Amino acid sequence: MTTRTRYPGPITEAKIHPHSLVEQGFASDEALAAMLDHYPAELFDINLYDYDDEGQVSLRTGARGRLNGAELLEAIQQGRLWVNLREVETGWPELWAAAMDEFRKVQATYPGMRAVRNAGQLILSSPKARVPYHFDPAGVILFHMRGRKRIFVYPGDEAHLPETNMEQVVTRQTTEELPYTLAFEGDAQVMDLEPGQALTWPVYAPHRVENLDRFCVSLSMDFQTWPSRFRNGALYANAVARSRGGRPRQTEGMTTPELAARWAASLAFKKMGVLKSRIAHFERDFEPQVGAADGAGELRTS
């Protein structure tokens, strides 16, 4: 079998686990509309992806807009939008508490896995929405609650996941998208998700997502372990060195003490503001609208 990652960790391939969030009622129209009425507008990421024949992606971003919760839900269900509601732990604490209970059950199936920090985003996405090839600088459990999704998970080797690109993501010089070619498709592990299923995959493994013609609801839970924190710090320190003309060696060849030392250095670099984020602010050019093409209407400024 193709090795899914060159980084050590308890999760070595994509695997499906059961969860009970659906039967607890978190994915109904009523629950989602009520949540959307109150979710903080600054925690919305509303994206619209377009693809060319080679699978290359362009991104438009939208603002929360003025629709009430039920109208916003309708626009998402009719359009081609991918809506991320960040910081579920503060925006919908009841869902978060239930999801953490489910996380602990999944974590118990992986001996040696110990999360030291968890964060989450609720994803509401249109029937034909797709998310491009990317990686997350953390472990991820995707709790699927509504609709059908197809997840493509790729090997985490240098060909599919160049460390220089990882450095750019960790330092927020670019978003999580990676260089992609259609030739990668022959290397993908393909998993279809139904409501009540949760998917794990190796830390950092590149992946992409397609909805299978149904409105989808998922909770994506990121988790950091000490090994992933150390490696992210080393990637950050390498990016700083590279920005100043250095040629740092790849983290996969570093020992744990080396990774820890670079993590400590990264904390100092961040405190000094050595690398400024280039993705703090996106230009938003639409807002959700019921009946509009793709669910994206004209941005209203007054």
Side-chain angles (χ1 to χ4, degrees), residues 3-258:
T3 300
R4 293 287 127 186
T5 179
R6 64 197 189 272
Y7 303 114
I11 303 175
T12 58
E13 62 179 330
K15 183 178 179 181
I16 291 176
H17 307 261
H19 71 81
S20 67
L21 298 178
V22 178
E23 58 200 61
Q24 294 183 55
F26 291 110
S28 69
D29 279 357
E30 295 76 16
L32 294 172
M35 174 273 298
L36 289 169
D37 272 330
H38 301 101
Y39 213 89
E42 66 272 16
L43 298 181
F44 277 73
D45 291 329
I46 301 179
N47 299 325
L48 185 58
Y49 296 104
D50 291 299
Y51 299 82
D52 65 18
D53 291 341
E54 298 300 315
Q56 303 306 304
V57 65
S58 59
L59 168 67
R60 295 173 60 196
T61 60
R64 163 66 176 84
R66 308 179 191 185
L67 301 181
N68 64 33
E71 293 166 337
L72 178 56
L73 185 63
E74 184 179 358
I76 300 168
Q77 291 174 339
Q78 293 179 352
R80 197 163 53 84
L81 303 177
W82 191 276
V83 179
N84 295 334
L85 303 173
R86 289 178 280 112
E87 299 182 24
V88 174
E89 56 272 25
T90 57
W92 198 357
E94 297 83 3
L95 171 59
W96 184 250
M100 282 300 299
D101 287 341
E102 297 297 330
F103 171 81
R104 284 184 279 269
K105 296 174 187 176
V106 174
Q107 180 174 250
T109 69
Y110 292 103
M113 190 171 100
R114 295 292 181 268
V116 295
R117 188 185 69 84
N118 297 70
Q121 59 185 6
L122 184 65
I123 303 169
L124 311 181
S125 51
S126 302
K128 296 183 182 299
R130 295 186 288 163
V131 166
Y133 185 78
H134 71 286
F135 90 104
D136 300 288
V140 175
I141 298 180
L142 185 67
F143 294 99
H144 191 51
M145 296 189 285
R146 185 164 167 181
R148 297 178 63 236
K149 274 188 191 302
R150 180 164 292 164
I151 318 293
F152 301 77
V153 181
Y154 303 80
D157 55 21
E158 182 66 17
H160 297 83
L161 183 66
E163 276 212 352
T164 52
N165 292 101
M166 296 174 71
E167 293 169 10
Q168 295 296 295
V169 172
V170 168
T171 55
R172 297 180 62 81
Q173 303 302 293
T174 184
T175 55
E176 295 170 345
E177 284 76 37
L178 294 165
Y180 170 80
T181 173
L182 291 174
F184 289 173
E185 290 312 301
D187 303 321
Q189 182 181 3
V190 184
M191 313 285 282
D192 285 356
L193 278 189
E194 302 286 347
Q197 295 181 327
L199 183 65
T200 57
W201 55 81
V203 64
Y204 304 129
H207 52 281
R208 66 182 185 85
V209 184
E210 295 181 358
N211 287 355
L212 298 178
D213 292 324
R214 297 183 189 176
F215 168 66
C216 286
V217 179
S218 303
L219 172 65
S220 177
M221 182 182 288
D222 299 347
F223 62 92
Q224 295 287 357
T225 62
W226 276 111
S228 68
R229 293 183 80 176
F230 285 165
R231 192 171 305 278
N232 286 348
L235 290 166
Y236 195 103
N238 278 3
V240 171
R242 204 178 303 280
S243 71
R244 282 150 176 74
R247 299 181 64 183
R249 64 196 187 93
Q250 291 190 336
T251 69
E252 66 176 300
M254 295 180 184
T255 64
T256 297
E258 289 178 287

